[in-house]
Amino acid sequence: MQPTPASATLAASTDAGAALRIETQASLKPYNSFGLPALARTLVRIGSDADVRRLLAHPQLGLQPKFVLGGGSNLVLTHDLHEVVLKVEVMGRRLVAELDDAFIIEFGAGETWHEAVDWTLAQGWPGLENLALIPGTVGAAPVQNIGAYGLELKDRFESLDAVDLVTGRSVTLDAHACHFGYRDSVFKQPAADGGLAGKSLITRVRLRLPKPWIPVLGYLDLQKKMVDAANHHPDARQIFDWVCAIRRAKLPDPAVIGNAGSFFKNPVVSEAQCMDIIARDPHVVHYPMPDGQFKLAAGWLIDACGWKGKTIGGAGVYERQALVLVNRGGATGGEVVTLARAIQESVYGRFGIRLEPEPVLL
């Protein structure tokens, strides 16, 4: 295929930009796990900090608005993107240091998260096994502060490198600077609130895997696995396998049926709110938290409202897990958002709780 005049112009416009891999009118369907149709007017593949600086020096693209794209596993695209899409493809895996109390491991932000977890176990460095099979890239993990089965990324986080999308300056941020919260970080918080949303591109992430290794087995599904297997002292690889089996039983493979994993955050409510809901719905799934609040299972709330298996257009609620919205084939981002909003209104009407989406809706 011959390059479009626009792409030819962009590639040839400057020596600084000549090394950039630039595409125009690029389909984003392969780059979002929902498989939703959308185009990027301009897509630039970022393989290093230097690529970001080359982009910022580009006479046509440098000052244009930008959107950072990792694995696209936490994204609902409802329209074409006119921003310059930065496809993060920084690779690399290495042991930075072995300390008395931890292994420090570094990954390029473009590495696949699940493959990174598997690799650490293969090297004899346990600690990430509860986070197996979470879709997306390593660079997206701290943005969302991913978590599953009793563990969050912040529990294993050491530091990260990022490039400022205005100045091109590389910075290193520790856990305190990342402001981790429940499925939240400084990278999701707007600049007006002191956040870095849209202002930085993560290039490398370092994780601290503690020594000695202590398994995290408090989650109910893992306890059931231990009982079923009559194995109350599993090693890290066994926990990894159990987590993969649990996730595969509940969640569809994005390669088979498009989805973004858990679509809504589990809501956190006060003890009074929780007791009020229990009084009306004694079977509501809830978990006490250290601060006295309670986390409710969003999937249970959605299922209780009768949404499991329902469909709007090409978007549907997964039959095995009501927390997951799926692309049944040919869905648009608008249909996914319409379904999500209908679920939110339904849950609010019955329980007085407003569910918050996990994915970014664009």
Side-chain angles (χ1 to χ4, degrees):
M1 179 182 296
Q2 293 296 317
T4 64
S7 63
T9 300
L10 290 172
S13 60
T14 176
D15 289 341
L20 290 174
R21 293 170 293 165
I22 301 172
E23 301 173 22
T24 58
Q25 297 301 309
S27 173
L28 296 176
K29 190 171 183 179
Y31 303 136
N32 73 96
S33 62
F34 247 116
L36 300 172
L39 295 176
R41 183 167 63 182
T42 306
L43 182 145
V44 181
R45 299 182 183 275
I46 301 296
S48 65
D49 295 45
D51 281 345
V52 180
R53 287 187 276 272
R54 291 187 187 100
L55 171 65
L56 296 178
H58 196 287
Q60 293 171 261
L61 303 180
L63 296 179
Q64 291 187 25
K66 299 167 184 68
F67 178 79
V68 178
L69 177 64
S73 61
N74 195 46
L75 190 62
V76 177
L77 295 171
T78 63
H79 56 77
D80 294 342
L81 298 187
H82 297 292
E83 302 93 334
V84 178
V85 175
L86 310 185
K87 180 72 172 65
V88 181
E89 298 180 349
V90 181
M91 309 305 286
R93 311 170 179 177
R94 70 185 182 103
L95 174 66
V96 175
E98 179 174 353
L99 310 176
D100 290 341
D101 63 344
F103 296 101
I104 308 299
I105 317 297
E106 182 182 270
F107 293 101
E111 293 280 350
T112 301
W113 174 262
H114 175 68
E115 292 177 2
V117 174
D118 192 17
W119 181 78
T120 59
L121 293 179
Q123 307 308 308
W125 306 325
L128 299 176
E129 54 281 345
N130 293 58
L131 304 180
L133 215 62
I134 293 179
T137 59
V138 171
V143 175
Q144 183 73 357
N145 185 25
I146 59 172
Y149 303 104
L151 191 71
E152 289 185 319
L153 180 89
K154 69 179 180 63
D155 301 322
R156 298 288 183 262
F157 183 80
E158 174 71 8
S159 64
L160 61 78
D161 297 336
V163 183
D164 188 296
L165 291 177
V166 175
T167 66
R169 185 170 64 94
S170 295
V171 296
T172 298
L173 302 180
D174 61 11
H176 177 75
C178 288
H179 296 174
F180 290 124
Y182 174 54
R183 302 298 176 270
D184 194 20
S185 74
V186 70
F187 299 100
K188 294 181 71 175
Q189 297 160 11
D193 298 329
L196 295 176
K199 294 180 64 178
S200 294
L201 182 147
I202 296 170
T203 53
R204 283 169 297 277
V205 177
R206 284 171 292 279
L207 304 173
R208 171 178 286 264
L209 307 185
K211 296 161 57 178
W213 171 73
I214 299 175
V216 179
L217 296 168
Y219 202 85
L220 182 60
D221 282 350
L222 290 176
Q223 293 176 5
K224 289 179 179 178
K225 286 289 187 183
M226 286 192 292
V227 171
D228 292 345
N231 180 0
H232 292 273
H233 301 283
D235 61 17
R237 178 58 72 174
Q238 180 62 79
I239 296 171
F240 173 92
D241 291 340
W242 284 345
V243 168
C244 289
I246 294 167
R247 290 186 69 89
R248 288 187 175 115
K250 291 182 177 181
L251 306 174
D253 182 349
V256 178
I257 180 169
N259 72 93
S262 299
F263 197 90
F264 295 102
K265 297 178 182 180
N266 290 320
V268 176
V269 299
S270 67
E271 181 179 5
Q273 287 176 293
C274 188
M275 294 305 105
D276 179 64
I277 293 172
I278 290 173
R280 290 180 282 121
D281 291 272
H283 300 294
V284 63
V285 178
H286 60 286
Y287 307 95
M289 300 182 69
D291 62 0
Q293 297 188 99
F294 285 80
K295 183 181 293 184
L296 305 182
W300 188 93
L301 300 175
I302 297 166
D303 193 11
C305 292
W307 280 99
K308 187 180 286 185
K310 296 293 181 65
T311 297
I312 292 181
V317 181
Y318 192 49
E319 292 80 359
R320 296 186 191 176
Q321 170 55 269
L323 191 54
V324 178
L325 306 190
V326 297
N327 181 352
R328 299 201 187 281
T332 65
E335 290 170 341
V336 173
V337 172
T338 298
L339 175 61
R341 288 176 177 165
I343 292 170
Q344 287 174 304
E345 292 302 318
S346 181
V347 169
Y348 184 77
R350 177 167 174 177
F351 297 103
I353 293 173
R354 179 72 65 181
L355 294 181
E356 184 179 348
E358 281 199 28
V360 176
L361 310 181
L362 285 181

